[in-house]
Amino acid sequence: MVTTFPVQTISRSRLLRLAESAAFCSVLLFALNAWICWRLFFLEYPQYFSSIEGAFISIARYALENWPHISWWPLWHCGMPYQDTYVPLLHLAVAAVAALSGFSAPHAYHLVTALTYSLGPVTLLLLLRGLGATPASAFIAALAYSLFSPSTMLMPAVRMDAGGLFNARRLQVLVEYGEGPHISSIALLPLALLAIHRLLDRMDARRLALAALSIAAVLLTNTPGSVSLVFAICCLMAAQRVWSPPSLLRVMGAGLFAYGIAAYGLPWPTIRTNLANMERMHAGFSYSLIRAGLVLLLLAALAAAGWGLGRLRTSLYVRFGSIYFLAMGSLVLAGLIFSFDIVPQPHRFQLEMEIGIVIVMAAAAAAVFRASPLPARRLLLALGLAAAALQISSYRAHARQKIRAVDPVSRSEYATALWLGENMEGRRVFTSGSTAFWLNVFNDTPQLTGCCDQGMPDRFQRPPIYLITATGSPHQTELSVLWMQAFGVHAVAVGGPESTDSYKDFRFPQKFEGVLDEFHRGAGDVIYRVPQASPMLSHVLRRDEIVWREPTDVEDVGEVRRYVNVLQDVSRPIAAFKWVANNHAKIRAQMARDDLVSVQVTHSDGWQASANGKPARVLRDGLDFIVIEPDCEGACDIDLIWTQSASATASKWISAFSLLLAAGMLVLPRRRSPA
């Protein structure tokens, strides 16, 4: 007995320390979530082609195959700066993984998102431990976040969509809806909050650099995640009741530093474009004083909640969880119950709302456990373990149902993409629905649509796109053809009843029958030829033939019709157009001195041109296309080069300087400053 008692004591002590170890709990949580989504690590093409992830994979594939020449994206919306497609961090990470592993872009995308899904509860655990939660409370919260979706309990519509109260909503959003960037930003968010918490506790160079880097990571991953981070930081400050000017300056300084790091991937022109498109994209949202006032009122409520909970002497992590639930729940429920969107797409914040809920639930469970006598504790522990085992089994079954591979050959999206890639020779096409999402996963066929309307550069693309897909009268069909000709479209793919296209955006799929010649029919899709006299994107025109005024609506086609009639004139000389690089085109044409060149590529600050070696003026027309004044006569050789705007160039240098500064601050010797 004398010899065994110390051994048993030491053994129990070690087990207790191991159970309380953040590293051990992190590995356990990661392993559990990875086991749940295990198939995702090996998935290439998912069963859900309705998912938007096809667009994200396209962005990563383009970077993989064209690095480092990715500044201009020619595949969507008549061309756009690469940063306007989507904030780039996740896609560049996917491209890097694909390059290092040899995996395809789809496989690498699912591998990366499986990792971020599995890391979400781990980073939540680390945040809660950093906020002072006991090891048990932090682990219970992270385990609950891994195995329970409170939004299915609070919202019947979500419960129905998820297929039941105990199904994995977070996994469903990732796999079925393709919200890889959002899920990844949620995994990064707790790390940013932990860094801000440490910065508020004590200011030094390393903590400031870590806070800036972690905030920048969220900014560069997902826009809704960035919005939720702003609210989360406000909630953390309310929970800590730190509204003093020094604290505000620390947070604001970290935020400005973070934007400096992220500036090249998120330059001001991109932010401006995204903000301008928000109202057009979301019918329930508009910029208004009412919404600004409601946001200020919500922030005041968060501060009041922090003050009240502080008076009750609740733990910091409980205060944060409660206030964060209040913030995210207010956004979500205002949209759900009152149909009033305080921010764009508030329903997407339900996953962040769940973080607040599980923190409060875990705190309550830990308090009940501590207050219970030993027999009750054993019973509660047994019930908890049994519930966790049942949920693991349920989540695994749900994951097996959701994560299923499909052969893309069985999909009309693949068949249509294959035909367009083999036959259109790089000419622009019009697709819609899931075909538009997945077309550029398979090839580089440029399309008028694509994805991610928040970055749509043209001010007048959305109305014609709606006209083409949603209307069907003879007059509207004639206008649809006219607009496609104006935008340089050479073919339109229409999904019929037998198509596997998930959305079938064409409400009148027969509208072009007898109007346009049929290029191809197969897999339920019909591809029609859009008449174009020239296969080129460049055209020689006189000044009075350019569309200088932006149309007021799709019926305002006086100048557009004149422009198209000129493009269809086969007697006009062809202006040969060829991309020699992703951001560099060469044009060759016979021209008169006063002729202009209309290029059906989106005008953006940063395009430069030269004609026969001399600088040429670059203008914008009413359709947002490029117009070149070559000022040459006879044979004219034009170089059109995208060099990025002055603000984007400045953003590049700001990011480089900020990253170097952050790196220097991380390696500096520690110097403590007053708190």
Side-chain angles (χ1 to χ4, degrees):
M1 291 294 294
V2 174
T3 58
T4 59
F5 177 76
V7 174
Q8 292 175 349
T9 303
I10 293 171
S11 177
R12 289 174 182 173
S13 176
R14 286 178 176 175
L15 285 174
L16 183 60
R17 287 199 301 270
L18 183 63
E20 293 181 346
S21 164
F24 173 76
C25 292
S26 297
V27 171
L28 186 61
L29 287 167
F30 179 84
L32 172 62
N33 283 271
W35 189 46
I36 289 170
C37 72
W38 185 247
R39 290 184 175 185
L40 196 59
F41 285 91
F42 308 98
L43 184 68
E44 189 167 24
Y45 294 101
Q47 62 175 324
Y48 296 109
F49 264 56
S50 58
S51 163
I52 198 175
E53 72 180 32
F56 302 146
I57 295 169
S58 299
I59 299 171
R61 182 194 65 81
Y62 183 85
L64 174 66
E65 297 181 1
N66 295 281
W67 183 265
H69 306 291
I70 61 170
S71 60
W72 184 255
W73 174 268
L75 303 183
W76 300 341
H77 308 305
C78 302
M80 58 204 301
Y82 185 82
Q83 291 96 327
D84 286 4
T85 58
Y86 206 90
V87 284
L89 182 59
L90 176 66
H91 315 308
L92 295 181
V94 170
V97 168
L100 294 172
S101 66
F103 294 155
S104 67
H107 187 178
Y109 173 84
H110 292 117
L111 172 62
V112 172
T113 53
L115 286 170
T116 57
Y117 175 87
S118 303
L119 284 170
V122 175
T123 58
L124 177 60
L125 172 86
L126 297 177
L127 170 64
L128 295 180
R129 293 289 293 268
L131 295 182
T134 63
S137 296
F139 183 76
I140 292 171
L143 185 63
Y145 186 57
S146 302
L147 298 175
F148 180 55
S149 294
S151 57
T152 61
M153 177 179 62
L154 294 178
M155 294 178 278
V158 172
R159 180 165 62 249
M160 184 178 299
D161 187 48
L165 179 64
F166 300 106
N167 281 340
R169 179 62 170 175
R170 188 165 59 99
L171 183 68
Q172 180 202 14
V173 169
L174 172 61
V175 175
E176 187 172 343
Y177 298 125
E179 289 279 3
H182 192 188
I183 296 297
S184 300
S185 71
I186 294 174
L188 294 170
L189 185 146
L191 298 179
L193 287 175
L194 181 58
I196 287 291
H197 170 65
R198 289 170 56 81
L199 181 66
L200 288 171
D201 179 60
R202 189 180 77 242
M203 175 68 173
D204 63 41
R206 289 185 179 182
R207 294 190 178 199
L208 178 61
L210 286 172
L213 287 167
S214 58
I215 294 172
V218 178
L219 295 178
L220 289 171
T221 302
N222 180 250
T223 300
S226 301
V227 173
S228 62
L229 175 61
V230 171
F231 278 99
I233 292 173
C234 293
C235 293
L236 180 62
M237 296 182 71
Q240 294 187 256
R241 295 183 292 176
V242 285
W243 297 107
S244 64
S247 298
L248 290 173
L249 286 174
R250 290 183 190 182
V251 173
M252 292 173 63
L256 289 173
F257 195 179
Y259 180 71
I261 294 170
Y264 187 52
L266 195 62
W268 168 243
T270 296
I271 296 175
R272 185 179 58 208
T273 298
N274 290 349
L275 291 174
N277 282 325
M278 285 299 176
E279 289 183 295
R280 305 168 190 168
M281 290 173 59
H282 311 301
F285 175 79
S286 62
Y287 298 111
S288 66
L289 290 176
I290 293 177
R291 283 179 171 79
L294 286 173
V295 170
L296 292 176
L297 184 62
L298 177 58
L299 293 178
L302 301 181
W307 179 84
L309 290 170
R311 294 282 298 231
L312 295 175
R313 300 186 181 278
T314 54
S315 301
L316 174 59
Y317 81 98
V318 177
R319 297 200 299 271
F320 168 74
S322 303
I323 298 169
Y324 195 45
F325 171 46
L326 171 63
M328 295 293 102
S330 298
L331 300 181
V332 173
L333 298 177
L336 181 69
I337 298 174
F338 302 107
S339 299
F340 186 84
D341 296 352
I342 300 176
V343 296
Q345 295 183 319
H347 63 279
R348 296 178 68 180
F349 296 106
Q350 62 190 247
L351 299 178
E352 286 90 342
M353 180 184 72
E354 292 185 345
I355 292 176
I357 297 174
V358 297
I359 292 173
V360 175
M361 289 174 56
V368 170
F369 186 82
R370 287 194 299 269
S372 301
L374 183 59
R377 288 187 185 185
R378 291 173 177 171
L379 177 61
L380 288 173
L381 182 61
L383 291 174
L385 291 174
L390 288 173
Q391 275 298 93
I392 292 172
S393 176
S394 175
Y395 268 39
R396 284 273 294 170
H398 194 222
R400 286 194 295 271
Q401 176 190 353
K402 293 294 180 183
I403 307 172
R404 292 181 179 176
V406 69
D407 184 351
V409 174
S410 65
R411 304 287 308 191
S412 66
E413 295 92 336
Y414 175 80
T416 296
L418 187 66
W419 191 93
L420 291 172
E422 292 176 348
N423 293 276
M424 293 310 296
E425 299 177 340
R427 287 173 287 173
R428 186 175 295 149
V429 303
F430 185 98
T431 61
S432 63
S434 54
T435 303
F437 289 164
W438 288 87
L439 172 62
N440 298 124
V441 173
F442 304 113
N443 58 58
D444 283 339
T445 301
Q447 52 180 322
L448 178 59
T449 50
C451 174
C452 311
D453 287 356
Q454 71 272 9
M456 183 182 288
D458 187 274
R459 294 164 293 183
F460 199 72
Q461 281 187 18
R462 192 171 283 104
I465 289 172
Y466 179 82
L467 172 78
I468 294 164
T469 57
T471 65
S473 74
H475 172 65
Q476 292 164 332
T477 299
E478 185 267 333
L479 286 179
S480 298
V481 175
L482 180 72
W483 280 108
M484 286 191 289
Q485 291 174 315
F487 281 112
V489 172
H490 289 260
V492 52
V494 180
E498 297 178 359
S499 172
T500 61
D501 188 292
S502 303
Y503 298 99
K504 296 181 173 63
D505 286 341
F506 279 92
R507 298 183 187 176
F508 304 92
Q510 313 299 322
K511 65 183 290 183
F512 295 120
E513 285 194 7
V515 177
L516 298 177
D517 293 336
E518 189 177 302
F519 255 153
H520 172 76
R521 182 182 293 266
D525 288 352
V526 183
I527 302 174
Y528 296 97
R529 183 178 71 86
V530 178
Q532 299 282 11
S534 169
M536 304 299 173
L537 291 174
S538 57
H539 312 275
V540 177
L541 282 81
R542 294 187 293 273
R543 185 173 295 273
D544 61 352
E545 295 168 340
I546 301 289
V547 180
W548 291 113
R549 180 180 59 83
E550 181 180 345
T552 57
D553 55 45
V554 293
E555 296 281 350
D556 182 14
V557 293
E559 291 188 16
V560 176
R561 194 179 298 279
R562 182 190 62 202
Y563 174 72
V564 170
N565 287 339
V566 174
L567 301 189
Q568 303 309 311
D569 186 353
V570 295
S571 67
R572 293 293 185 103
I574 291 180
F577 180 96
K578 182 180 180 181
W579 289 107
V580 294
N582 296 323
N583 64 336
H584 183 188
K586 284 186 173 292
I587 304 168
R588 172 170 292 183
Q590 290 289 328
M591 304 185 64
R593 176 66 62 182
D594 296 331
D595 284 343
L596 305 179
V597 177
S598 171
V599 184
Q600 291 162 309
V601 171
T602 301
H603 181 283
S604 186
D605 294 339
W607 281 112
Q608 296 181 2
S610 62
N612 291 341
K614 296 186 297 184
R617 191 179 177 193
V618 177
L619 307 172
R620 181 199 302 263
D621 73 5
L623 299 177
D624 251 12
F625 286 153
I626 295 169
V627 176
I628 303 172
E629 288 185 341
D631 191 28
C632 62
E633 191 168 9
C636 190
D637 289 319
I638 300 172
D639 281 282
L640 180 64
I641 302 175
W642 163 255
T643 60
Q644 297 192 332
S645 64
S647 58
T649 301
S651 297
K652 176 173 65 176
W653 290 108
I654 291 171
S655 287
F657 173 78
S658 300
L659 279 170
L660 287 174
L661 180 61
M665 293 167 72
L666 288 175
V667 300
L668 282 175
R670 291 183 180 273
R671 291 183 181 179
R672 297 190 61 170
S673 61

